[in-house]
């Protein structure tokens, strides 16, 4: 056998593997609809109920990625800075909520003491 025939066989085998392998995988892999139909009815119902929430979470994530990519810094640095700011804001909001709840509880306690006639204790 000549050297050219060996090269031709090698190229044919390479193309067969490079094209045929992914094509075979694509042919075997079920679609999302086929997988969904194999779920039991309870899982189908739960999946449909949570679909909108998952889509919204994904949209929020994509929007965050777009915001992070506007920065000159790498995305992970921009994300960590923004997340740190959000955590600080959430922490401050929780502290403010606690203060307002404590003030409301104190106000109610004074109202109850006044309505029972005890008056404030020193």
């Amino acid at each position: 056998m000549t050297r050219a025939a060996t090269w031709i066989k090698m190229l044919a085998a390479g193309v067969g593997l490079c094209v045929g392998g992914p094509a075979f995988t694509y042919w075997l892999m079920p679609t999302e609809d086929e997988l969904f139909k194999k779920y039991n009815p309870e899982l189908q119902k739960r999946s449909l109920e949570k679909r909108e929430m998952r889509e919204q979470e994904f949209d929020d994530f994509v929007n965050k990625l777009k915001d992070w990519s506007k920065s000159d810094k790498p995305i992970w640095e921009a994300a960590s800075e923004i997340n740190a700011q959000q955590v600080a804001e959430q922490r401050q909001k929780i502290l403010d909520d606690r203060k307002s709840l404590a003030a409301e509880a104190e106000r109610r306690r004074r109202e109850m003491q006044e309505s029972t006639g005890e008056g404030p204790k020193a």
Side-chain angles (χ1 to χ4, degrees):
M1 192 172 262
T2 66
R3 191 167 239 195
T6 304
W7 276 97
I8 290 172
K9 280 199 261 182
M10 181 192 68
L11 287 173
V15 168
L17 286 173
C18 290
V19 173
F24 186 64
T25 303
Y26 182 76
W27 178 62
L28 285 178
M29 193 167 26
T31 64
E32 288 184 20
D33 291 334
E34 291 172 345
L35 285 175
F36 185 75
K37 289 176 185 175
K38 290 182 181 182
Y39 286 176
N40 67 27
E42 181 182 326
L43 283 176
Q44 285 181 356
K45 180 182 175 189
R46 203 172 350 160
S47 177
L48 289 174
E49 289 172 353
K50 293 182 180 182
R51 176 176 285 172
E52 197 170 307
M53 181 183 68
R54 285 192 319 268
E55 288 174 353
Q56 182 62 40
E57 288 175 355
F58 180 75
D59 290 342
D60 293 342
F61 177 71
V62 169
N63 289 333
K64 284 181 185 178
L65 281 178
K66 288 178 183 177
D67 290 341
W68 296 336
S69 67
K70 291 177 185 175
S71 173
D72 293 337
K73 299 177 183 178
I75 287 180
W76 55 89
E77 287 181 15
S80 66
E81 289 176 3
I82 292 173
N83 286 340
Q85 291 172 355
Q86 289 175 346
V87 167
E89 290 171 2
Q90 288 175 349
R91 195 172 287 149
Q92 186 61 41
K93 183 179 180 230
I94 290 171
L95 290 174
D96 293 343
D97 289 345
R98 285 184 182 171
K99 286 179 183 177
S100 64
L101 287 174
E104 177 67 20
E106 180 64 25
R107 184 187 61 79
R108 287 184 181 180
R109 187 181 62 77
R110 273 192 251 121
E111 284 179 2
M112 289 173 63
Q113 286 179 345
E114 290 172 2
S115 67
T116 59
E118 291 181 17
K121 294 181 179 177

